[in-house]
Amino acid sequence: MGTTINATAASLLGFLHDAPLTGYALSQVAEEALGNFWSITRSQVYRELSRMADVGLVRPSGEPGPRDRQPYELTDAGRQAFAAWAADTPNAETIRFPLLLVLSLGRHVDDDVLGDHLRTHRAEHARRLAEYDSIWEQLPDDVTAEGVDRWRVATLAFGRRYEQAVLGWFDELPDLLGIQPTNNAESTL
Amino acid sequence: MGTTINATAASLLGFLHDAPLTGYALSQVAEEALGNFWSITRSQVYRELSRMADVGLVRPSGEPGPRDRQPYELTDAGRQAFAAWAADTPNAETIRFPLLLVLSLGRHVDDDVLGDHLRTHRAEHARRLAEYDSIWEQLPDDVTAEGVDRWRVATLAFGRRYEQAVLGWFDELPDLLGIQPTNNAESTL
DNA sequence: TGGAGCATGTAATGAGTTACATGATTGG
DNA sequence: CCAATCATGTAACTCATTACATGCTCCA
């Protein structure tokens, strides 16, 4: 019976397929690979790493560096555990959207307060979309070409769709709520 | 200094604005009001409820029923704590999307396995969108009319935008990944 | 050469999920 | 009236976040 692991641990195993990495490095890779749609903190990384070392899914690789800096590498069991995890159909996503929560309780909240929140959040989402777009534009025209990481492109595409949807929603809100347009639509660009 | 509360507790206070409710009832209201974008389990409800009772944000109201069934009502401090929470600008949403995680590690995952996952998830999202749409269509034409809960409309609108975006993404994936279209697009309807 | 700021890890706390226990209800 | 099912609550566990501690590095 192979060891069962959670998604967080699995992601680490995934990253270790390419090269041995230390905990700190792993947390950076994770951040940059998935940032907004699967965040992992350093604490989690170290916890999962040491658990996995205990059950033999990873093992120390090479010299410890300064501090307790220690690269880990995949074991065969680790590779197997990763494959098993990947084969399992992934759970549905969970979304926790505090703004939506406040909004749904809107009848007990001051209108101005809500308006503020909406403006702030809209701006933030516009920022993110702009960020994704600028990465997108630096991709080669043929996105299926050699040397392009298709998987990164796919997740980036999700990010753009998501942010576009959210912005569209912000902009239809005034109509739905029957209130003044509070969105600073010009800040989209 | 008013007591600081978290979003989960705050949502309960929100629901209690309308009427006293028991823990079980609260968990049902929460589920139906926000389901997919802010889920709360019964365990959380009871925990927050008893914490809040301890610090005087809610208090037992009326007779305990069979079992330990006990309705709670808002206190003034509770009302205040809610308002304070609502006034604070809400945190950014967090999204944990296991499918996206697998996909981003796609280069270490079998193509067929990925294809399966994509198909399964696409179907589920199509189902959800259909569900939202059918609720949407039962709304009166003038959504700002009396008797319509604007706040519910607003969150529902978000749900639709979100699911539309996700489906759009699924359908562009084959192009991006340069693989066979695995999406059963006809199951959209 | 020392101290400001970054790198790296750990510990404490809080939030969320799963599994369980037992009381109520109701159709056969 | 009993067995199946639903209602209601609790406890144990896992996961995630925040706050903290201390080691390194580098340039003024």
XYZ file of all heavy atoms in Angstrom, chain B residues 60-136:
615
model
N -28.204 33.091 24.496
C -29.304 32.164 24.307
C -30.611 32.932 24.275
O -30.757 33.936 24.978
C -29.251 31.265 25.542
C -27.908 31.447 26.120
C -27.400 32.772 25.686
N -31.499 32.461 23.458
C -32.761 33.173 23.304
C -33.887 32.168 23.427
O -33.934 31.200 22.682
C -32.785 33.839 21.934
O -34.090 33.935 21.439
N -34.765 32.368 24.364
C -35.905 31.472 24.524
C -35.500 30.108 25.053
O -34.372 29.889 25.500
N -36.437 29.221 25.011
C -36.292 27.875 25.553
C -35.303 27.053 24.759
O -35.323 27.096 23.541
C -37.633 27.129 25.438
C -38.790 27.908 25.966
C -38.620 28.157 27.437
O -38.615 27.151 28.186
O -38.456 29.334 27.840
N -34.491 26.249 25.418
C -33.798 25.180 24.701
C -34.827 24.166 24.225
O -35.787 23.872 24.947
C -32.879 24.551 25.750
C -33.185 25.189 27.045
C -34.155 26.307 26.826
N -34.640 23.628 23.038
C -35.567 22.622 22.527
C -35.085 21.236 22.890
O -34.248 21.074 23.772
N -35.596 20.209 22.232
C -35.089 18.855 22.434
C -33.618 18.820 22.060
O -33.165 19.636 21.270
C -35.907 18.030 21.454
C -36.494 18.995 20.488
C -36.575 20.301 21.164
N -32.917 17.860 22.616
C -31.453 17.881 22.495
C -30.926 19.162 23.093
O -31.642 19.847 23.817
C -31.054 17.790 21.041
C -30.952 16.374 20.703
C -30.664 15.985 19.395
N -29.752 14.886 19.553
C -28.829 14.595 18.710
N -28.674 15.281 17.632
N -28.044 13.586 18.920
N -29.715 19.520 22.734
C -29.200 20.776 23.272
C -29.572 21.931 22.367
O -28.902 22.949 22.345
C -27.692 20.695 23.445
C -27.333 19.720 24.544
O -28.215 19.436 25.369
O -26.190 19.249 24.558
N -30.601 21.707 21.634
C -31.038 22.701 20.681
C -31.369 24.025 21.333
O -32.324 24.120 22.097
C -32.297 22.159 20.022
C -32.292 22.405 18.573
C -33.442 21.718 17.930
N -33.652 22.347 16.655
C -34.730 22.197 15.924
N -35.706 21.438 16.354
N -34.838 22.788 14.773
N -30.571 25.017 21.012
C -30.732 26.298 21.672
C -30.590 27.436 20.664
O -29.530 27.601 20.067
C -29.658 26.441 22.745
C -29.584 27.780 23.420
C -30.846 28.151 24.178
O -31.723 28.840 23.665
N -30.981 27.661 25.398
N -31.642 28.204 20.460
C -31.516 29.365 19.591
C -30.662 30.440 20.262
O -30.668 30.573 21.487
C -32.962 29.859 19.438
C -33.829 28.788 19.983
C -33.007 28.041 20.965
N -29.932 31.170 19.455
C -29.148 32.299 19.949
C -29.629 33.575 19.288
O -30.113 33.545 18.158
C -27.665 32.095 19.646
C -27.010 31.106 20.562
C -27.045 29.738 20.283
C -26.357 31.533 21.711
C -26.451 28.823 21.136
C -25.748 30.625 22.562
C -25.809 29.274 22.269
O -25.212 28.375 23.113
N -29.461 34.662 20.006
C -29.795 35.948 19.397
C -28.628 36.903 19.529
O -27.734 36.712 20.348
C -31.049 36.539 20.047
C -30.844 36.913 21.508
C -32.121 37.462 22.157
O -33.200 37.328 21.541
O -32.032 38.002 23.269
N -28.635 37.923 18.705
C -27.618 38.967 18.744
C -27.714 39.787 20.015
O -28.807 40.075 20.485
C -27.828 39.931 17.581
C -27.149 39.654 16.270
C -27.390 40.822 15.333
C -25.659 39.463 16.482
N -26.566 40.196 20.527
C -26.560 41.225 21.563
C -26.139 42.531 20.893
O -25.749 42.539 19.727
C -25.535 40.911 22.654
O -24.230 40.916 22.073
C -25.810 39.548 23.261
N -26.181 43.606 21.628
C -25.718 44.874 21.065
C -24.247 44.795 20.702
O -23.826 45.259 19.649
C -25.949 46.014 22.069
C -27.414 46.400 22.137
O -28.176 45.966 21.248
O -27.799 47.124 23.072
N -23.480 44.169 21.587
C -22.060 44.008 21.303
C -21.878 43.223 20.003
O -20.980 43.513 19.202
C -21.375 43.287 22.453
N -22.734 42.238 19.784
C -22.661 41.448 18.568
C -22.927 42.294 17.337
O -22.222 42.213 16.334
N -23.952 43.109 17.435
C -24.290 43.988 16.322
C -23.102 44.902 16.008
O -22.739 45.095 14.847
C -25.502 44.825 16.713
C -26.561 44.983 15.635
C -27.777 45.700 16.190
N -28.430 44.920 17.256
C -29.400 44.032 17.033
N -29.818 43.812 15.799
N -29.940 43.351 18.029
N -22.497 45.401 17.072
C -21.348 46.284 16.902
C -20.178 45.549 16.260
O -19.540 46.055 15.350
C -20.890 46.769 18.273
C -21.120 48.238 18.529
C -20.681 48.563 19.949
O -21.486 48.479 20.879
N -19.399 48.892 20.109
N -19.920 44.364 16.768
C -18.799 43.583 16.240
C -19.021 43.298 14.762
O -18.091 43.362 13.952
C -18.650 42.280 17.008
N -20.247 43.017 14.409
C -20.540 42.764 12.995
C -20.248 44.003 12.155
O -19.587 43.921 11.121
C -21.992 42.334 12.808
C -22.358 42.157 11.364
C -22.040 40.978 10.696
C -23.006 43.164 10.655
C -22.359 40.816 9.350
C -23.324 43.013 9.317
C -23.003 41.839 8.662
N -20.755 45.126 12.608
C -20.550 46.363 11.855
C -19.060 46.660 11.701
O -18.598 47.039 10.622
C -21.255 47.521 12.538
N -18.319 46.441 12.779
C -16.884 46.699 12.723
C -16.220 45.773 11.703
O -15.390 46.193 10.893
C -16.256 46.508 14.092
N -16.620 44.529 11.731
C -16.065 43.581 10.765
C -16.388 44.013 9.341
O -15.537 44.012 8.461
C -16.609 42.177 11.031
C -16.288 41.224 9.931
C -15.110 40.579 9.717
C -17.157 40.832 8.854
N -15.187 39.809 8.585
C -16.434 39.959 8.042
C -18.485 41.152 8.521
C -16.985 39.376 6.903
C -19.037 40.583 7.385
C -18.290 39.700 6.591
N -17.630 44.382 9.120
C -18.058 44.740 7.773
C -17.326 45.976 7.265
O -17.090 46.128 6.067
C -19.564 44.964 7.730
N -16.963 46.854 8.181
C -16.318 48.096 7.773
C -14.859 47.878 7.367
O -14.304 48.623 6.576
C -16.380 49.115 8.900
N -14.278 46.858 7.889
C -12.902 46.510 7.551
C -12.821 46.034 6.116
O -13.625 45.210 5.705
C -12.454 45.364 8.457
C -11.191 45.718 9.183
O -11.142 46.838 9.716
O -10.272 44.879 9.208
N -11.828 46.497 5.363
C -11.849 46.033 3.981
C -11.526 44.551 3.922
O -10.565 44.083 4.523
C -10.950 46.858 3.023
O -9.844 46.076 2.662
C -10.528 48.151 3.621
N -12.396 43.809 3.238
C -12.295 42.349 3.212
C -10.973 41.892 2.592
O -10.462 42.536 1.681
C -13.454 41.922 2.301
C -14.298 43.122 2.085
C -13.477 44.315 2.387
N -10.462 40.819 3.084
C -9.267 40.222 2.496
C -9.519 39.775 1.066
O -10.663 39.549 0.677
C -8.855 38.985 3.287
C -8.230 39.358 4.603
O -7.638 40.425 4.748
N -8.383 38.479 5.585
N -8.436 39.630 0.335
C -8.566 39.070 -1.008
C -9.066 37.640 -0.909
O -8.882 36.981 0.114
C -7.230 39.117 -1.723
N -9.711 37.184 -1.931
C -10.211 35.813 -1.940
C -9.069 34.822 -1.995
O -8.002 35.137 -2.494
C -11.136 35.583 -3.147
C -10.431 35.402 -4.486
C -10.179 36.745 -5.161
O -9.976 37.762 -4.450
O -10.166 36.760 -6.405
N -9.293 33.644 -1.459
C -8.323 32.576 -1.681
C -8.988 31.470 -2.490
O -10.135 31.124 -2.254
C -7.798 31.977 -0.371
O -8.879 31.340 0.289
C -7.222 33.026 0.534
N -8.251 30.985 -3.428
C -8.748 29.939 -4.310
C -7.778 28.779 -4.246
O -6.581 28.964 -4.407
C -8.830 30.432 -5.766
C -9.747 31.650 -5.838
C -9.305 29.330 -6.683
C -9.968 32.137 -7.243
N -8.301 27.600 -3.972
C -7.434 26.424 -4.043
C -8.049 25.469 -5.033
O -9.096 24.892 -4.808
C -7.286 25.721 -2.694
C -7.301 26.626 -1.488
C -6.529 26.015 -0.335
N -5.161 26.493 -0.321
C -4.081 25.718 -0.159
N -4.226 24.419 -0.009
N -2.883 26.239 -0.152
N -7.333 25.319 -6.100
C -7.882 24.623 -7.251
C -6.975 23.444 -7.609
O -6.090 23.565 -8.450
C -7.978 25.593 -8.414
C -9.003 25.229 -9.447
C -9.614 26.225 -10.202
C -9.359 23.913 -9.668
C -10.565 25.908 -11.157
C -10.300 23.599 -10.612
C -10.898 24.594 -11.361
N -7.226 22.300 -6.993
C -6.374 21.143 -7.189
C -6.147 20.798 -8.657
O -5.040 20.415 -9.040
C -7.144 20.022 -6.496
C -7.952 20.696 -5.461
C -8.317 22.025 -6.026
N -7.184 20.957 -9.467
C -7.010 20.634 -10.880
C -5.919 21.483 -11.513
O -5.110 21.000 -12.306
C -8.328 20.851 -11.632
C -8.274 20.575 -13.135
C -8.017 19.097 -13.410
C -9.545 21.027 -13.827
N -5.897 22.745 -11.138
C -4.892 23.656 -11.664
C -3.498 23.240 -11.210
O -2.516 23.382 -11.934
C -5.202 25.064 -11.171
C -5.226 26.208 -12.161
C -5.887 25.835 -13.450
C -5.916 27.403 -11.536
N -3.462 22.730 -9.998
C -2.184 22.270 -9.479
C -1.661 21.083 -10.287
O -0.509 21.077 -10.728
C -2.364 21.893 -8.006
C -1.171 21.330 -7.265
C 0.024 22.251 -7.356
C -1.531 21.059 -5.808
N -2.500 20.094 -10.485
C -2.076 18.945 -11.285
C -1.641 19.410 -12.661
O -0.621 18.980 -13.193
C -3.210 17.929 -11.499
C -2.636 16.619 -11.983
C -3.997 17.716 -10.245
N -2.441 20.275 -13.220
C -2.173 20.719 -14.579
C -0.829 21.427 -14.671
O -0.070 21.225 -15.612
C -3.291 21.672 -15.008
C -3.502 21.791 -16.503
C -3.992 20.473 -17.064
C -4.487 22.906 -16.810
N -0.534 22.231 -13.665
C 0.708 22.979 -13.736
C 1.909 22.049 -13.597
O 3.022 22.395 -13.967
C 0.742 24.070 -12.673
O 1.102 23.497 -11.440
N 1.661 20.885 -13.055
C 2.723 19.881 -12.988
C 2.561 18.865 -14.115
O 3.098 17.758 -14.068
C 2.681 19.179 -11.630
C 2.986 20.088 -10.438
C 2.620 19.416 -9.134
C 4.457 20.478 -10.447
N 1.808 19.292 -15.111
C 1.422 18.395 -16.195
C 2.560 17.637 -16.853
O 2.374 16.518 -17.309
N 3.722 18.218 -16.852
C 4.807 17.525 -17.557
C 5.231 16.241 -16.869
O 5.939 15.423 -17.454
C 5.990 18.454 -17.788
C 6.709 18.919 -16.545
C 7.842 19.891 -16.901
N 8.469 20.410 -15.706
C 7.920 21.271 -14.856
N 6.684 21.698 -15.087
N 8.552 21.696 -13.791
N 4.789 16.063 -15.634
C 5.110 14.810 -14.953
C 3.904 13.904 -14.803
O 3.930 12.949 -14.041
C 5.705 15.094 -13.578
C 6.868 16.013 -13.623
N 6.887 17.214 -12.973
C 8.054 15.930 -14.279
C 8.032 17.836 -13.211
N 8.748 17.071 -14.004
N 2.864 14.230 -15.523
C 1.636 13.455 -15.386
C 1.234 12.865 -16.728
O 1.418 13.483 -17.767
C 0.492 14.340 -14.843
C -0.776 13.532 -14.679
C 0.909 14.974 -13.523
N 0.690 11.685 -16.651
C 0.246 11.002 -17.853
C -0.866 11.781 -18.564
O -1.784 12.277 -17.929
C -0.274 9.624 -17.433
C -0.578 8.760 -18.627
O 0.370 8.147 -19.149
O -1.758 8.727 -19.040
N -0.758 11.867 -19.891
C -1.736 12.644 -20.661
C -3.168 12.131 -20.513
O -4.101 12.930 -20.398
C -1.371 12.614 -22.144
C -0.416 13.742 -22.496
O 0.064 14.414 -21.562
O -0.157 13.946 -23.694
N -3.333 10.833 -20.528
C -4.686 10.283 -20.423
C -5.312 10.613 -19.081
O -6.495 10.955 -18.990
C -4.665 8.764 -20.605
C -4.323 8.402 -22.032
O -4.466 9.282 -22.912
O -3.900 7.255 -22.268
N -4.495 10.503 -18.074
C -4.968 10.838 -16.736
C -5.459 12.286 -16.709
O -6.567 12.579 -16.248
C -3.827 10.638 -15.711
C -4.131 11.356 -14.415
C -3.605 9.153 -15.472
N -4.656 13.158 -17.246
C -5.056 14.564 -17.292
C -6.354 14.754 -18.068
O -7.253 15.474 -17.638
C -3.956 15.401 -17.942
C -2.829 15.848 -17.026
C -1.839 16.714 -17.795
C -3.393 16.626 -15.844
N -6.419 14.091 -19.198
C -7.627 14.190 -20.011
C -8.865 13.802 -19.220
O -9.888 14.494 -19.265
N -8.753 12.723 -18.493
C -9.869 12.285 -17.648
C -10.284 13.370 -16.665
O -11.457 13.703 -16.528
C -9.467 11.055 -16.826
C -9.630 9.784 -17.636
O -10.095 9.879 -18.792
O -9.288 8.711 -17.115
N -9.302 13.891 -15.983
C -9.602 14.913 -14.989
C -10.324 16.096 -15.627
O -11.300 16.609 -15.101
C -8.315 15.424 -14.345
C -7.607 14.389 -13.542
N -8.204 13.227 -13.143
C -6.340 14.344 -13.056
C -7.338 12.515 -12.448
N -6.198 13.169 -12.386
N -9.800 16.505 -16.754
C -10.400 17.668 -17.413
C -11.854 17.391 -17.774
O -12.736 18.218 -17.541
C -9.603 18.040 -18.656
C -8.211 18.609 -18.363
C -7.432 18.838 -19.655
C -8.318 19.912 -17.576
N -12.103 16.232 -18.311
C -13.475 15.912 -18.691
C -14.398 15.907 -17.473
O -15.470 16.499 -17.487
C -13.512 14.541 -19.396
C -13.942 14.664 -20.850
C -13.762 13.368 -21.598
N -12.358 13.109 -21.912
C -11.679 12.031 -21.555
N -12.262 11.078 -20.858
N -10.409 11.894 -21.902
N -13.960 15.228 -16.436
C -14.778 15.164 -15.224
C -15.108 16.555 -14.684
O -16.254 16.874 -14.402
C -14.016 14.410 -14.123
O -13.557 13.174 -14.660
C -14.910 14.148 -12.932
N -14.087 17.363 -14.587
C -14.302 18.680 -14.001
C -15.143 19.568 -14.909
O -15.990 20.320 -14.438
C -12.959 19.341 -13.697
C -12.398 18.934 -12.380
N -12.316 19.782 -11.315
C -11.922 17.749 -11.943
C -11.795 19.128 -10.270
N -11.544 17.901 -10.639
N -14.909 19.452 -16.183
C -15.713 20.277 -17.077
C -17.194 19.962 -16.893
O -18.034 20.866 -16.820
C -15.328 20.049 -18.535
C -15.998 21.055 -19.434
C -15.841 20.791 -20.905
N -16.350 21.922 -21.662
C -17.629 22.238 -21.763
N -18.540 21.502 -21.154
N -18.001 23.291 -22.451
N -17.492 18.704 -16.809
C -18.890 18.305 -16.641
C -19.474 18.899 -15.363
O -20.595 19.424 -15.353
C -18.997 16.785 -16.605
N -18.715 18.830 -14.316
C -19.205 19.368 -13.052
C -19.473 20.875 -13.144
O -20.487 21.366 -12.644
C -18.178 19.073 -11.949
C -18.402 19.791 -10.637
C -19.730 19.443 -9.966
O -20.376 18.457 -10.387
O -20.135 20.181 -9.036
N -18.610 21.569 -13.815
C -18.811 23.011 -13.928
C -19.995 23.330 -14.823
O -20.743 24.276 -14.562
C -17.530 23.689 -14.413
C -16.502 23.817 -13.337
N -16.542 24.807 -12.378
C -15.424 23.047 -13.027
C -15.523 24.654 -11.545
N -14.831 23.588 -11.912
N -20.160 22.538 -15.854
C -21.333 22.741 -16.710
C -22.595 22.552 -15.876
O -23.556 23.312 -15.984
C -21.299 21.768 -17.882
N -22.584 21.551 -15.027
C -23.730 21.295 -14.167
C -24.029 22.505 -13.285
O -25.167 22.949 -13.177
C -23.409 20.099 -13.261
C -24.526 19.078 -13.099
C -24.496 18.468 -11.715
N -24.845 19.418 -10.690
C -24.048 19.830 -9.709
N -22.823 19.360 -9.587
N -24.472 20.722 -8.828
N -22.997 23.032 -12.685
C -23.207 24.164 -11.796
C -23.749 25.374 -12.535
O -24.651 26.048 -12.057
C -21.882 24.570 -11.151
C -21.467 23.635 -10.070
C -20.481 24.363 -9.163
N -19.514 23.440 -8.594
C -18.385 23.809 -8.024
N -18.076 25.098 -7.982
N -17.567 22.929 -7.520
N -23.171 25.624 -13.687
C -23.656 26.779 -14.439
C -25.132 26.605 -14.762
O -25.933 27.530 -14.609
C -22.851 26.971 -15.725
C -23.329 28.126 -16.609
C -23.353 29.445 -15.835
C -22.461 28.263 -17.860
N -25.500 25.411 -15.194
C -26.906 25.146 -15.522
C -27.784 25.420 -14.308
O -28.859 26.019 -14.413
C -27.068 23.708 -15.988
N -27.301 25.000 -13.174
C -28.049 25.219 -11.935
C -28.246 26.716 -11.678
O -29.366 27.171 -11.418
C -27.246 24.584 -10.805
C -27.959 24.453 -9.486
C -27.025 23.762 -8.483
O -26.334 22.782 -8.882
O -26.964 24.223 -7.314
N -27.155 27.466 -11.759
C -27.255 28.907 -11.545
C -28.202 29.533 -12.572
O -29.022 30.381 -12.239
C -25.884 29.569 -11.662
C -24.902 29.178 -10.590
C -23.536 29.244 -10.819
C -25.332 28.757 -9.331
C -22.617 28.911 -9.837
C -24.414 28.413 -8.351
C -23.057 28.486 -8.603
O -22.143 28.154 -7.638
N -28.045 29.112 -13.808
C -28.878 29.692 -14.864
C -30.350 29.461 -14.588
O -31.172 30.342 -14.802
C -28.504 29.094 -16.220
C -27.261 29.752 -16.795
O -26.848 30.812 -16.259
O -26.690 29.217 -17.761
N -30.655 28.277 -14.102
C -32.072 27.996 -13.910
C -32.629 28.846 -12.767
O -33.779 29.278 -12.808
C -32.314 26.502 -13.706
O -32.399 26.206 -12.335
N -31.818 29.121 -11.781
C -32.273 30.050 -10.744
C -32.426 31.453 -11.321
O -33.398 32.152 -11.063
C -31.265 30.091 -9.566
C -31.089 28.693 -8.979
C -31.725 31.068 -8.501
C -30.075 28.618 -7.872
N -31.458 31.814 -12.104
C -31.433 33.138 -12.716
C -32.708 33.414 -13.517
O -33.281 34.494 -13.455
C -30.224 33.245 -13.626
C -29.964 34.608 -14.166
C -30.280 35.057 -15.415
C -29.321 35.706 -13.494
N -29.876 36.354 -15.562
C -29.292 36.783 -14.395
C -28.778 35.873 -12.218
C -28.738 38.023 -14.075
C -28.223 37.101 -11.891
C -28.211 38.155 -12.811
